């Protein structure tokens, strides 16, 4: 592999860890825990892993003896910067406990466990990937690990390789499944422990105990750099409105964080739109009004940030998408036979009158995107819906009408962008490099201490790394019952943007001013070397959540 100069320099970066993890470690156990809701149901479903205490790692004067063990690791779902450092931290932690322990990686996600595709991760391989972005060390995948026969197939290879613990690095769904697997292996007395790690750039796997999912920090910094560059271009040429859609699936954490970092003229937060019950028309009016007001001041330019899942949060669109999901799930074969050019007309004829009218009002390309293949969960793939283009088209039409009414005098030239894949494999920021390495190291200690059904946790991360608090959180503690595919299932609660939380309130207090001024901030690229105030800062979201102010 030919390496860039940055990669070479970055390879020697020593990830910072909480003080307690640097020497000999022991565990401090808290009181028994409960699930966030639906206690009885969750307890009934997880009799062997429910109610376990929160664990904190503390320094120890004595060195403990740990037996040599074999451990497996899986990267699950979308890429997030720092995954390689979780694996490096896990590897180093295992070797520190016993230099004869071995680590195996299952290839291309959970499918590797079921299909018995794996490789041993040696020190030489790990060193190649320290502080690098991507998940390419073993690859990732979206196979859902949820059925008994998959668990049993997995157990065969775990037994064959004498693996006694498995670490699953994933988002809320993958960690939910990790917990189900932990319970299953414990119930069957297999002797295999399962530990989860919180990953996703979307930032929606967080709660009181898990401060943030890894990758969110780096991805937001990458997008904010790009947004800042666009803002500067915008402020230089003064002739374009830039509509920028940002990844993040349902939750708008990425859009909100990028807004806090770059101060755009408009940022659409899906959770607020849903709460206010806004229509697509309301959103178009909101944007068009700001464009018209800026035009009055001669500013025919600006930036609009749009969260990826926006359309699913507009009540009328939500209802349309839900009916389309059900219809296509039930009539997929018939739909596949319809000629491409006839598909929209066909669906208009099949939907209920209300949803049919909404569907018919959409620009053709968006109507087509809504009818495309579903993801493995049967849901529309929001990353494929060109919301930026949808809004450009609808706002453009509205401004034309406003010109006729003489309520808008200006020029509307717009550019659409989508930032998502650009940030998922970036070289991890110092924050993510340190956080991930610490998470992996914490996972190794949970394993050494015989724990299962836990998620590795590192808290207090707005403070210097040595003050971070590492430990483990019982996954059942994060669970509640939710309806999925018509059935009630135990799942980790997804964290959406809280409208009464400090990050949103800070944004809401400033947005009117940002709309009319041109107070863009240009964050520039992530800095990997240099003073701490430039290189080691966490996200504004995290600072606001923990300290209430920036
Ligand atoms: P995870 O939740 O698995 O981390 O994936 C996040 C994400 O990047 C979303 O932001 C995005 O909607 C989706 O993955 C895209 O999926 P794919 O990688 O399959 O295109």
């Amino acid at each position: 592999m030919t390496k860039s100069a940055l990669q070479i320099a970055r390879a020697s970066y020593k990830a910072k860890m909480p003080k307690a993890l640097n020497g000999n470690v022991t565990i401090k156990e808290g009181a028994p825990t409960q699930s966030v809701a639906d206690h009885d149901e969750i307890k009934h479903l997880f009799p062997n892993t429910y109610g376990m205490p929160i664990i904190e790692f503390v320094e120890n004067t004595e060195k403990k003896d740990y037996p040599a063990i074999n451990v497996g690791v899986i990267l699950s779902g979308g890429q997030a910067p720092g995954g390689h450092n979780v694996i490096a931290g896990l590897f180093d932690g295992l070797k520190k406990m016993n230099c004869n322990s071995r680590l195996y990686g299952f290839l291309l996600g959970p499918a590797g466990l079921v299909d018995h595709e794996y490789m041993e991760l040696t020190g030489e391989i790990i060193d190649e990937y320290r502080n690098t972005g991507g998940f390419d060390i073993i690859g990732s995948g979206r196979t859902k690990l949820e059925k008994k026969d998959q668990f049993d197939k997995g157990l065969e290879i775990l037994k064959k390789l004498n693996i006694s613990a498995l670490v699953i690095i994933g988002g809320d769904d993958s960690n939910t499944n990790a917990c189900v697997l932990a319970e299953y292996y414990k119930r069957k007395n297999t002797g295999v422990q399962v530990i989860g790690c919180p990953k996703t750039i979307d930032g929606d796997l967080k709660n009181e105990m898990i401060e943030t999912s890894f990758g969110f920090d780096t991805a937001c910094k990458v997008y904010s750099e790009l947004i800042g560059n666009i803002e500067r271009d915008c402020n230089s040429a003064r002739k374009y409105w830039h509509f920028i859609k940002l990844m993040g699936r349902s939750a708008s954490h990425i859009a909100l964080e990028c807004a806090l970092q770059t101060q755009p003229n408009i940022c659409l937060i899906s959770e607020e739109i849903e709460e206010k019950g806004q229509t697509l028309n309301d959103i178009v009016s909101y944007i068009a009004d700001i464009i018209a007001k800026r035009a009055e001041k001669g500013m025919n330019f600006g930036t609009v940030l749009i969260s990826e899942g926006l359309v699913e949060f507009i009540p009328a669109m939500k209802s349309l998408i839900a009916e389309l999901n059900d219809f296509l799930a039930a009539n997929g074969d018939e739909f596949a036979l319809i000629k491409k050019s006839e598909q929209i007309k066909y669906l208009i004829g099949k939907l209920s009158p209300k949803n049919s009218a909404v569907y018919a009002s959409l620009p053709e390309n968006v109507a087509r995107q809504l009818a495309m293949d579903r993801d493995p969960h049967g849901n529309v793939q929001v990353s494929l819906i060109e919301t930026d283009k949808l809004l450009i088209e609808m706002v453009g039409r509205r401004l034309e009408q406003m010109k006729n009414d003489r309520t808008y005098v200006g020029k509307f030239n717009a550019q659409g962008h989508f930032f998502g894949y650009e940030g998922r494999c970036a070289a991890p920021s110092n924050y993510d490099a340190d956080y991930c390495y610490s998470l992996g190291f914490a996972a190794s200690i949970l394993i050494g201490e015989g724990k299962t059904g836990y998620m590795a946790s590192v808290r207090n991360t707005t403070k210097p790394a040595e003050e971070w608090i590492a430990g483990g959180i019982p996954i059942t503690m994060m669970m509640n019952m939710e309806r999925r595919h018509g059935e009630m299932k135990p799942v980790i609660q997804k964290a959406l943007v809280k409208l009464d939380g400090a990050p949103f309130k800070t944004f809401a207090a400033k947005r009117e001013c940002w709309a009319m001024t041109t107070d863009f901030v240009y964050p520039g690229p992530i800095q990997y070397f240099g003073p701490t105030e430039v290189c080691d800062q966490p996200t504004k979201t995290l600072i606001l959540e923990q300290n209430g102010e920036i």
Side-chain angles (χ1 to χ4, degrees), residues 36 54 172 198 203-213 455 457 459 473-475 477-479 492-495 498 542 545-546:
V36 274
I54 291 175
D172 52 337
D204 58 5
L205 172 48
K206 64 174 171 185
N207 48 53
E208 256 178 63
M209 292 296 151
I210 302 296
E211 287 186 352
T212 186
S213 53
M455 190 184 288
S457 115
R459 292 182 283 131
I473 311 298
I475 302 180
M477 193 186 167
M478 305 169 205
M479 287 190 162
I492 295 177
Q493 254 184 358
K494 206 184 255 306
K498 288 190 180 140
L542 196 55
E545 279 170 351
Q546 303 215 337

Side-chain angles (χ1 to χ4, degrees), residues 402-467:
M402 289 168 74
K403 264 188 183 165
N404 294 338
D405 308 341
R406 296 185 193 284
T407 47
Y408 169 61
V409 191
K411 280 192 197 127
F412 179 64
N413 291 312
Q415 304 279 355
H417 311 266
F418 170 38
F419 297 151
Y421 300 99
E422 293 81 350
R424 298 201 311 181
C425 284
S429 60
N430 283 357
Y431 177 89
D432 270 329
D434 300 344
Y435 182 54
C436 290
Y437 187 81
S438 303
L439 280 173
F441 208 94
S444 75
I445 300 171
L446 289 168
I447 293 168
E449 294 294 331
K451 303 298 173 190
T452 192
Y454 275 83
M455 190 184 288
S457 115
V458 177
R459 292 182 283 131
N460 214 26
T461 63
T462 53
K463 299 274 174 358
E466 60 166 28
E467 292 172 41

Side-chain angles (χ1 to χ4, degrees), residues 286-306:
Y286 171 67
I287 300 173
D289 281 354
I290 291 176
I291 292 178
K293 282 195 189 126
R294 282 180 70 85
E296 276 169 26
K297 297 186 166 194
M299 296 188 287
N300 288 302
F301 63 93
T303 46
V304 183
L305 303 190
I306 306 155

Side-chain angles (χ1 to χ4, degrees), residues 1 14 18 107 109 123 139 194 270 283 312 338 408 447 500 544:
M1 197 198 316
K14 271 226 119 347
L107 306 182
V194 183
S270 308
I283 297 167
E312 285 192 307
I338 308 290
Y408 169 61
I447 293 168
D500 59 356
L544 282 162

Side-chain angles (χ1 to χ4, degrees), residues 219-229 257-258 261-262 521 523-524:
C220 288
K221 283 175 177 154
V222 171
Y223 304 144
S224 295
E225 178 199 350
L226 298 175
I227 295 163
N229 294 348
E257 172 64 23
C258 291
Q261 288 195 30
T262 62
V521 176

Side-chain angles (χ1 to χ4, degrees), residues 76-80 142 170-172 174 199-202 204 223 247-250 254 308 381-384 418 420-421 424 494:
S76 180
Q79 287 68 252
R142 290 200 182 276
D172 52 337
S174 305
K199 169 236 70 165
T200 178
I201 60 160
D202 298 352
D204 58 5
Y223 304 144
M247 238 185 202
R249 217 186 278 276
S250 307
I254 291 182
E308 181 179 69
Q381 299 185 58
V382 283
S383 60
L384 302 181
F418 170 38
Y421 300 99
R424 298 201 311 181
K494 206 184 255 306

